[in-house]
Amino acid sequence: MVKKTGRPAYLQIADDLREQVRGGSLAPGAPLPSTAQLAEQYDASLSVVKMAVGILRNEGLLIGQQGKGVFVRDDESSESGQGPAVDLVSEVIELRTAVRDLSERLAQVESTLSERSDR
Amino acid sequence: MVKKTGRPAYLQIADDLREQVRGGSLAPGAPLPSTAQLAEQYDASLSVVKMAVGILRNEGLLIGQQGKGVFVRDDESSESGQGPAVDLVSEVIELRTAVRDLSERLAQVESTLSERSDR
DNA sequence: CAGGCCAACTAGGTTAACCATGTTGGTCGC
DNA sequence: GCGACCAACATGGTTAACCTAGTTGGCCTG
């Protein structure tokens, strides 16, 4: 499953899961496959899957419950008063992570470029 | 250094570093201590330090450069507060600004590259 | 002295193992 | 039947090891 692009596997899986949530393939409140099942699906190790889930958990997109599983964040479950639709929120989160990733990569390119022009 | 609170060590370290950046103790563009040094400072393993740095890197707060070190991001314009539940409208505005900034920087890099390949 | 090579650093990705903790379902004894 | 227990599963945190790759400085050779 993991493509041979330079992008690390755990980010690829995180992107894919984020896309599934945003696209509705994983509905709010729905459980994700277990870590072991995800590892088999993506043909990846348990470690990278745990990393990917950890990222999305950190972003607030997923909520893990020990002993039960990992679930797509549900508005009602997390907070009562809620504003915009989940679609918009997750899309903004996705865009934000994409922008940050691009920003970092560009900064690295710029850095190496300036370094080489100095010498 | 790591307190025995329920909060995991890698989050404690990430919080501490984030606070140092926000408080100016780590100036924009300044390098962080190496992973090994941070591990010694916090009396933690290399793994948890790498996790903490990875989180802040994912947030866009830090930028890692292989072989050199990890640096505090100096670009203040496209950096948005990583606090969750930010107003969606302002978030979109910030993202739009960030995309425009990235486009300009990318164009600059591309032109530099083409000039260089011409000669 | 000049240039190249190499050893010692750096970050970063991946994997595997161990442990803690929580949930669930089935079985066994009463 | 009912309750207690237990095995199997789940997430989550931590650690260690191995590998890739980039940078830097020093040493050695020509």
Side-chain angles (χ1 to χ4, degrees), chain A:
Chain A
M1 173 66 190
V2 280
K3 301 185 181 68
K4 51 185 174 182
T5 167
R7 193 159 177 77
Y10 72 96
L11 287 182
Q12 289 185 43
I13 297 178
D15 290 341
D16 190 70
L17 291 177
R18 197 185 292 110
E19 183 65 22
Q20 286 191 37
V21 171
R22 197 187 65 83
S25 174
L26 282 173
L32 268 71
S34 72
T35 306
Q37 289 173 339
L38 285 177
E40 190 180 359
Q41 282 185 23
Y42 290 105
D43 191 26
S45 69
L46 292 176
S47 303
V48 298
V49 173
K50 286 167 76 173
M51 283 189 192
V53 173
I55 290 178
L56 301 181
R57 198 154 42 89
N58 192 267
E59 290 179 1
L61 195 65
L62 302 179
I63 295 182
Q65 295 183 26
Q66 275 192 352
K68 298 184 68 175
V70 180
F71 302 84
V72 180
R73 195 197 72 204
D74 191 359
D75 292 349
E76 316 168 20
S77 70
S78 59
E79 293 180 62
S80 53
Q82 197 58 290
V86 175
D87 286 351
L88 275 185
V89 174
S90 55
E91 176 141 11
V92 166
I93 291 178
E94 184 179 1
L95 286 173
R96 183 168 56 193
T97 57
V99 166
R100 281 174 179 165
D101 178 60
L102 287 173
S103 184
E104 180 174 344
R105 286 159 61 188
L106 182 55
Q108 289 192 27
V109 170
E110 287 174 342
S111 170
T112 57
L113 262 187
S114 64
E115 278 289 324
R116 285 188 197 181
S117 63
D118 284 347
R119 322 238 139 136

Side-chain angles (χ1 to χ4, degrees), chain B:
Chain B
M1 173 62 185
V2 281
K3 303 185 182 68
K4 48 188 171 184
T5 167
R7 193 159 179 79
Y10 72 96
L11 287 182
Q12 289 185 43
I13 297 179
D15 291 341
D16 190 69
L17 291 176
R18 197 185 291 111
E19 187 63 24
Q20 286 190 37
V21 171
R22 266 191 8 95
S25 174
L26 282 173
L32 268 70
S34 73
T35 306
Q37 288 173 340
L38 284 178
E40 190 180 358
Q41 281 185 24
Y42 289 105
D43 191 26
S45 69
L46 291 175
S47 302
V48 298
V49 173
K50 286 165 78 172
M51 284 191 192
V53 173
I55 290 180
L56 301 182
R57 199 155 41 89
N58 191 268
E59 291 179 358
L61 197 65
L62 302 179
I63 295 181
Q65 296 183 26
Q66 275 191 354
K68 298 184 68 176
V70 180
F71 302 84
V72 180
R73 178 169 178 195
D74 54 356
D75 185 3
E76 206 70 44
S77 60
S78 69
E79 170 57 38
S80 57
Q82 55 272 12
V86 187
D87 178 22
L88 265 191
V89 175
S90 59
E91 181 84 27
V92 168
I93 292 178
E94 288 178 1
L95 284 173
R96 193 161 50 197
T97 306
V99 168
R100 196 179 306 123
D101 174 61
L102 286 173
S103 300
E104 292 175 1
R105 286 160 65 191
L106 181 57
Q108 181 69 32
V109 169
E110 284 174 342
S111 68
T112 304
L113 271 184
S114 64
E115 282 181 13
R116 204 160 290 214
S117 62
D118 284 348
R119 329 242 126 104

